[in-house]
Amino acid sequence: GNKRNLFDRMRMAIDANVHLRTLYPIDGRRVYVSGFSGGARVASMLGVCFAEMFSGTACFMGVNFYTDVTGEDGKTYGLNFIPDDEVVALAKRFCRYALVTSEKDFNLANTRAVLKQGFQQEGFANAQLFEVPVIGHQLPSADWLEKAVRYLDEGKR
């Protein structure tokens, strides 16, 4: 949860990825990191900073980026992390990012700005916004997860 140290949350995701690869035959082209709200913000950082480990990222109702972006609400959402340039080059070319938000989510302006002024402006080849109607800051129905995973899977099967 959000009260847990950010670096512990990141470490657990990385450790799970490494450990599961020793136990099971994993298709590295289809290893995704995801989260909701604060967990989505953690996932967004991992998805860019560890592009060699996670080929896709699904962020539900929250996202961070490594440059400042300004939302349509006039707020500036400051950079949250500093990734390695070589890994970012991999992320831009090979990874996919599904940003799921809602018309009533308080993170809507931030998410739209990260897509346009972040991923698109910085040259990421594959980032897409999924805007769920009606709901607020909550998990959407399972069909939105399916849409996000379908997008992350494109060209990988």
Side-chain angles (χ1 to χ4, degrees):
N2 288 342
K3 291 182 181 180
R4 187 162 200 148
N5 181 285
L6 168 69
F7 297 107
D8 283 345
R9 296 167 85 177
M10 293 176 129
R11 180 193 49 77
M12 288 189 302
I14 292 166
D15 184 56
N17 185 322
V18 170
H19 184 70
L20 288 172
R21 287 174 189 249
T22 66
L23 298 175
Y24 303 102
I26 304 288
D27 179 356
R29 297 172 306 147
R30 296 186 67 227
V31 176
Y32 307 141
V33 61
S34 183
F36 170 75
S37 192
R41 293 181 180 281
V42 173
S44 67
M45 293 185 283
L46 287 167
V48 171
C49 291
F50 292 88
E52 75 282 11
M53 186 175 281
F54 300 104
S55 63
T57 305
C59 299
F60 288 86
M61 310 301 172
V63 62
N64 286 349
F65 203 69
Y66 63 88
T67 64
D68 290 347
V69 298
T70 303
E72 56 204 25
D73 57 0
K75 293 181 184 174
T76 297
Y77 299 94
L79 71 94
N80 296 95
F81 58 101
I82 302 171
D84 178 82
D85 290 339
E86 290 180 23
V87 178
V88 170
L90 291 173
K92 287 179 179 182
R93 187 168 173 201
F94 297 110
C95 297
R96 300 179 76 80
Y97 301 88
L99 310 181
V100 184
T101 187
S102 170
E103 64 181 327
K104 294 184 180 181
D105 179 26
F106 60 80
N107 287 321
L108 176 62
N110 176 200
T111 304
R112 284 180 176 166
V114 166
L115 175 70
K116 292 178 183 170
Q117 298 165 34
F119 286 106
Q120 290 176 349
Q121 188 171 306
E122 289 293 311
F124 284 75
N126 298 293
Q128 184 170 320
L129 183 71
F130 295 83
E131 217 170 291
V132 182
V134 183
I135 69 168
H137 189 74
Q138 65 191 60
L139 281 171
S141 61
D143 60 315
W144 287 95
L145 172 61
E146 184 178 338
K147 288 176 188 182
V149 171
R150 226 180 295 128
Y151 172 74
L152 297 179
D153 275 348
E154 283 180 20
K156 296 182 181 178
R157 289 182 178 216

